[in-house]
Amino acid sequence: MGSRRDFVHKLTVSAVGLPVLGYSTSLENYLPTFNSAAQLRVAIMGLGGYGTRVANAMESCKRAKLVGVISGTPSKIKTWQSKYGIPEKNCYNYENFDKIKDNPDIDAVYVITPNGLHHDQVIRVARAGKHVICEKPMAINAAEGEEMVKACKDAGVNLLVGYRMHFEPRTLEVVNMRRNGEFGKIMFFQGLSGFTIGNPDQWRLDKKLAGGGAMMDIGIYSINGARYMVGEEPIWVTAQETKNDPVKFKEGVDETIQFQLGFPSGAVASCLSTYAMNYLDRFFLNGKDGFAEMQPSTGYGPIEGRTNKGPLTAPIVTHQTVQMDAMAGIILNGEKPPIPVDGEEGVKDLKIIDAIYEAVKINGRVIL
């Protein structure tokens, strides 16, 4: 397997193009509602595998429309123009995309490029006066993330992060049960996120472009999942790194990290982030009165799981379609998402990642 994109695609049946399947819970509880007929006109920056997945999913969107592209590869731009009907005036490269400032047909840019490029690209988009959606992790550290948040606020534009699981119905089914007290006092969360990475020359194993290794790719799912599943912000972190292949995983590029989080209520989380083991996509939440188990928990779909009350029954959807429609509502109408997806949310994850790396370095506890 070459990347997280390949992993989540192969581990689970792709949900792209799937209709909503049978369920016993009302759709209205999970899918976004729309207050107007306006559409968010989006340009995608970065036309790789995940950018293509988002573009395909957006063909089914009601509130978001793909209208532009930004890429350093002219041949990809031509292919996307033909496939998605994108006019020449909405096509840019990485050198000239600041000119979108003068293009009234683009409302927002979805940045889907290597992590190390997010900071500068997001700030440039904000200064061009366009709303920004940025893939996760939002930056390579919290300091960069905070600069991005400030730049977007100063420009008066929205900064959202591509947390597709925050809109995924079965994830929300578990979160709603926890919020309603159906699991009782939360005691423990486990998050396992990992796959065996392939090509050693890819950007995900380049410290400058990725910002790290598995933690900056697949590991963020367990970090973010711990927060929305437990429903609290952690107050301490401990972590341990294992590196069996220092040739492939060079200095600053983590292969496997186990990390633990402590929460104000006394709940704890035990998580694993790795590029060295396959089939790790599992969440487990334990409370005094019940539990939830999800496997796959963050793949592209379908998400599967059960609680002490039975199987999860919320609808199966195309994650990116629901995400983009919901984000259109946030940007156009100020709608509130079920779980935050703003830049501040992204910074919270980055602070935890910073603390995990520090905990590995000092072999001790880091207070958040």
Side-chain angles (χ1 to χ4, degrees):
M1 297 184 184
S3 69
R4 162 164 52 93
R5 312 301 186 197
D6 297 330
F7 164 70
V8 290
H9 175 73
K10 293 177 181 177
L11 179 64
T12 62
V13 177
S14 171
V16 172
L18 279 177
V20 172
L21 304 182
Y23 55 92
S24 61
T25 308
S26 173
L27 268 174
E28 287 74 17
N29 291 335
Y30 300 102
L31 302 186
T33 56
F34 308 127
N35 297 329
S36 73
Q39 280 191 317
L40 182 73
R41 298 166 300 176
V42 179
I44 289 181
M45 179 187 296
L47 311 185
Y50 193 67
T52 300
R53 180 176 288 274
V54 172
N56 290 339
M58 286 183 67
E59 292 190 288
S60 300
C61 281
K62 298 176 181 176
R63 295 294 312 284
K65 180 178 176 60
L66 175 63
V67 300
V69 293
I70 302 169
S71 174
T73 308
S75 60
K76 286 185 178 180
I77 292 177
K78 292 299 182 184
T79 298
W80 280 51
Q81 280 188 272
S82 175
K83 183 174 182 180
Y84 302 109
I86 297 169
E88 185 69 31
K89 66 182 180 64
N90 290 354
C91 297
Y92 301 87
N93 59 44
Y94 294 129
E95 286 70 44
N96 69 10
F97 73 81
D98 307 271
K99 293 181 180 179
I100 60 173
K101 180 177 182 179
D102 302 317
N103 191 333
D105 295 332
I106 296 174
D107 302 314
V109 175
Y110 195 160
V111 177
I112 310 177
T113 55
N115 308 333
L117 305 180
H118 291 175
H119 172 267
D120 291 350
Q121 291 172 340
V122 165
I123 290 175
R124 286 173 65 186
V125 171
R127 288 175 178 168
K130 304 300 181 181
H131 302 291
V132 192
I133 303 168
C134 182
E135 253 312 300
K136 58 194 180 300
M138 189 175 78
I140 61 172
N141 56 54
E144 281 197 358
E146 288 171 339
E147 290 175 359
M148 294 157 69
V149 169
K150 183 179 186 301
C152 290
K153 285 186 175 179
D154 289 347
V157 299
N158 285 273
L159 171 57
L160 305 181
V161 184
Y163 289 118
R164 60 185 167 83
M165 303 313 298
H166 292 202
F167 307 101
E168 195 282 314
R170 293 189 174 183
T171 299
L172 295 179
E173 185 176 357
V174 173
V175 170
N176 288 342
M177 291 179 69
R178 189 262 301 157
R179 287 173 173 170
N180 293 334
E182 295 182 52
F183 304 130
K185 177 179 171 60
I186 300 301
M187 306 298 293
F188 175 74
F189 171 81
Q190 181 187 54
L192 305 178
S193 301
F195 64 94
T196 302
I197 198 164
N199 178 13
D201 298 322
Q202 64 182 283
W203 71 261
R204 288 178 178 82
L205 298 176
D206 182 327
K207 174 69 161 60
K208 185 177 180 180
L209 288 175
M215 185 60 63
M216 297 300 294
D217 181 18
I218 195 74
I220 194 170
Y221 283 100
S222 283
I223 293 171
N224 191 248
R227 294 175 51 234
Y228 63 69
M229 286 292 178
V230 174
E232 301 179 49
E233 296 301 326
I235 56 176
W236 58 257
V237 170
T238 54
Q240 308 80 39
E241 181 176 8
T242 302
K243 185 174 290 191
N244 293 316
D245 188 348
V247 175
K248 188 172 188 176
F249 303 97
K250 297 176 176 61
E251 181 68 26
V253 179
D254 48 286
E255 177 181 348
T256 300
I257 293 180
Q258 299 176 72
F259 62 95
Q260 302 77 42
L261 307 174
F263 297 88
S265 66
V268 293
S270 177
C271 302
L272 175 69
S273 165
T274 184
Y275 270 160
M277 290 174 267
N278 283 331
Y279 312 116
L280 293 177
D281 184 10
R282 180 179 184 269
F283 284 177
F284 179 76
L285 184 69
N286 179 262
K288 282 194 171 181
D289 300 327
F291 73 88
E293 181 179 35
M294 304 174 71
Q295 186 173 5
S297 57
T298 62
Y300 294 140
I303 301 303
E304 299 289 351
R306 64 189 180 101
T307 73
N308 54 294
K309 297 186 176 181
L312 297 178
T313 58
I316 293 171
V317 299
T318 302
H319 298 178
Q320 295 81 4
T321 302
V322 175
Q323 171 198 329
M324 293 306 295
D325 269 339
M327 286 185 166
I330 294 169
I331 292 172
L332 296 174
N333 296 329
E335 295 169 7
K336 185 177 179 181
I339 305 171
V341 292
D342 53 30
E344 287 84 353
E345 180 80 359
V347 170
K348 289 177 182 178
D349 280 340
L350 291 170
K351 287 181 176 179
I352 296 171
I353 290 175
D354 289 350
I356 288 170
Y357 284 136
E358 179 64 19
V360 167
K361 185 185 300 183
I362 68 172
N363 191 29
R365 177 177 292 196
V366 174
I367 304 300
L368 293 165

Coordinates of all heavy atoms in Angstrom, one line a residue, residues 29-31 165-179 228-229 294 314 322 337-339:
N29 N -31.6 13.7 11.1 CA -30.8 13.7 12.3 C -29.3 13.8 11.9 O -28.5 14.2 12.8 CB -31.0 12.5 13.2 CG -32.4 12.5 13.8 OD1 -33.0 13.5 14.0 ND2 -32.8 11.3 14.2
Y30 N -29.0 13.5 10.7 CA -27.6 13.4 10.3 C -27.1 14.2 9.1 O -26.0 14.7 9.1 CB -27.2 11.9 10.1 CG -27.5 11.1 11.3 CD1 -28.6 10.3 11.4 CD2 -26.6 11.1 12.4 CE1 -28.8 9.5 12.5 CE2 -26.8 10.3 13.5 CZ -27.9 9.5 13.6 OH -28.2 8.8 14.7
L31 N -28.0 14.4 8.2 CA -27.6 15.1 6.9 C -27.9 16.6 7.0 O -28.8 17.0 7.7 CB -28.3 14.5 5.7 CG -28.0 13.0 5.5 CD1 -28.6 12.5 4.2 CD2 -26.5 12.7 5.5
M165 N -15.1 13.2 9.0 CA -15.8 12.3 9.9 C -16.7 13.1 10.8 O -17.6 12.6 11.5 CB -14.7 11.6 10.8 CG -13.7 10.7 10.0 SD -14.5 9.7 8.8 CE -15.5 8.6 9.8
H166 N -16.5 14.4 10.9 CA -17.4 15.3 11.7 C -18.8 15.4 11.2 O -19.7 15.9 11.8 CB -16.8 16.7 11.9 CG -15.6 16.7 12.7 ND1 -15.1 17.8 13.3 CD2 -14.7 15.7 13.0 CE1 -14.0 17.6 14.0 NE2 -13.7 16.3 13.8
F167 N -19.0 14.9 9.9 CA -20.3 14.9 9.3 C -20.8 13.5 9.0 O -21.9 13.3 8.5 CB -20.3 15.7 8.0 CG -19.7 17.1 8.2 CD1 -18.4 17.4 7.9 CD2 -20.5 18.1 8.8 CE1 -17.9 18.7 8.0 CE2 -20.0 19.4 8.9 CZ -18.7 19.7 8.6
E168 N -20.0 12.5 9.3 CA -20.3 11.1 8.9 C -21.4 10.6 9.9 O -21.3 10.6 11.1 CB -19.0 10.2 9.0 CG -19.1 8.9 8.4 CD -19.9 7.9 9.2 OE1 -19.7 7.8 10.4 OE2 -20.8 7.2 8.6
P169 N -22.5 10.1 9.3 CA -23.7 9.7 10.1 C -23.5 8.7 11.3 O -24.0 8.9 12.4 CB -24.7 9.2 9.1 CG -24.4 9.9 7.8 CD -22.9 10.0 7.9
R170 N -22.7 7.7 11.0 CA -22.5 6.7 12.1 C -21.6 7.2 13.2 O -21.8 6.8 14.3 CB -22.1 5.4 11.5 CG -23.1 4.8 10.6 CD -22.9 3.4 10.1 NE -24.0 2.8 9.4 CZ -24.1 1.6 8.9 NH1 -23.1 0.8 9.1 NH2 -25.2 1.2 8.3
T171 N -20.7 8.0 12.8 CA -19.8 8.7 13.8 C -20.7 9.6 14.7 O -20.7 9.6 15.9 CB -18.8 9.5 13.1 OG1 -17.9 8.7 12.4 CG2 -17.9 10.3 14.2
L172 N -21.6 10.3 14.0 CA -22.5 11.2 14.8 C -23.5 10.4 15.6 O -23.9 10.9 16.7 CB -23.2 12.2 13.8 CG -22.3 13.2 13.1 CD1 -23.2 14.0 12.1 CD2 -21.6 14.0 14.0
E173 N -23.9 9.3 15.1 CA -24.8 8.4 15.9 C -24.1 8.1 17.3 O -24.8 8.2 18.3 CB -25.1 7.1 15.1 CG -26.1 6.2 15.8 CD -26.4 5.0 14.9 OE1 -25.9 4.9 13.8 OE2 -27.2 4.1 15.4
V174 N -22.9 7.7 17.3 CA -22.2 7.4 18.5 C -22.0 8.7 19.4 O -22.2 8.7 20.6 CB -20.8 6.7 18.2 CG1 -20.0 6.6 19.5 CG2 -21.0 5.4 17.6
V175 N -21.6 9.7 18.7 CA -21.4 11.0 19.5 C -22.7 11.5 20.1 O -22.7 11.9 21.3 CB -20.8 12.1 18.5 CG1 -20.8 13.5 19.2 CG2 -19.4 11.7 18.1
N176 N -23.8 11.3 19.4 CA -25.1 11.7 20.0 C -25.5 10.9 21.2 O -26.0 11.3 22.1 CB -26.2 11.7 18.9 CG -26.0 12.8 17.9 OD1 -25.4 13.8 18.1 ND2 -26.7 12.7 16.7
M177 N -25.2 9.6 21.1 CA -25.5 8.7 22.2 C -24.6 9.1 23.4 O -25.1 9.1 24.5 CB -25.2 7.2 21.8 CG -26.1 6.6 20.8 SD -25.7 4.9 20.3 CE -26.1 4.0 21.9
R178 N -23.4 9.4 23.2 CA -22.5 9.8 24.3 C -23.0 11.1 24.9 O -23.1 11.3 26.1 CB -21.1 10.0 23.8 CG -20.1 10.2 24.9 CD -19.7 11.7 25.1 NE -19.2 12.2 23.8 CZ -19.2 13.5 23.5 NH1 -19.8 14.4 24.3 NH2 -18.7 13.9 22.3
R179 N -23.4 12.1 24.0 CA -23.9 13.4 24.5 C -25.2 13.2 25.3 O -25.5 13.9 26.2 CB -24.2 14.3 23.3 CG -22.9 14.9 22.7 CD -23.2 15.7 21.5 NE -22.0 16.3 21.0 CZ -21.9 16.9 19.8 NH1 -22.9 16.9 18.9 NH2 -20.8 17.5 19.4
Y228 N -13.5 13.9 20.0 CA -14.9 14.0 19.8 C -15.7 12.8 20.4 O -16.8 12.9 20.7 CB -15.3 14.2 18.3 CG -14.9 13.2 17.3 CD1 -15.5 12.0 17.2 CD2 -14.0 13.6 16.3 CE1 -15.2 11.0 16.2 CE2 -13.7 12.7 15.2 CZ -14.3 11.4 15.2 OH -13.9 10.5 14.3
M229 N -15.0 11.7 20.5 CA -15.6 10.5 21.2 C -15.8 10.7 22.7 O -16.8 10.5 23.3 CB -14.9 9.2 20.8 CG -15.1 8.7 19.4 SD -16.8 8.2 19.1 CE -16.7 7.7 17.4
M294 N -16.2 0.7 16.7 CA -16.3 1.1 15.3 C -15.1 0.5 14.5 O -14.0 0.8 14.9 CB -16.4 2.6 15.1 CG -17.5 3.2 15.9 SD -17.5 5.0 15.8 CE -17.9 5.3 14.1
A314 N -27.3 4.4 11.4 CA -27.4 5.6 10.6 C -27.0 5.4 9.1 O -26.4 4.4 8.8 CB -26.4 6.7 11.2
V322 N -21.3 14.9 1.7 CA -21.9 15.5 2.8 C -21.1 16.6 3.4 O -21.5 17.6 3.8 CB -22.2 14.4 3.9 CG1 -22.8 14.9 5.1 CG2 -23.2 13.3 3.3
P337 N -21.8 23.3 12.6 CA -21.6 21.9 12.4 C -21.9 21.1 13.6 O -21.7 21.6 14.8 CB -20.2 21.8 11.9 CG -19.5 23.0 12.6 CD -20.6 24.1 12.6
P338 N -22.1 19.8 13.5 CA -22.3 19.0 14.7 C -21.1 18.9 15.6 O -21.2 18.7 16.8 CB -22.8 17.6 14.1 CG -22.3 17.6 12.7 CD -22.4 19.1 12.3
I339 N -19.9 18.9 15.0 CA -18.6 18.9 15.6 C -17.8 20.0 14.9 O -17.8 20.0 13.7 CB -17.9 17.6 15.6 CG1 -18.8 16.4 16.1 CG2 -16.6 17.6 16.3 CD1 -18.2 15.0 15.8

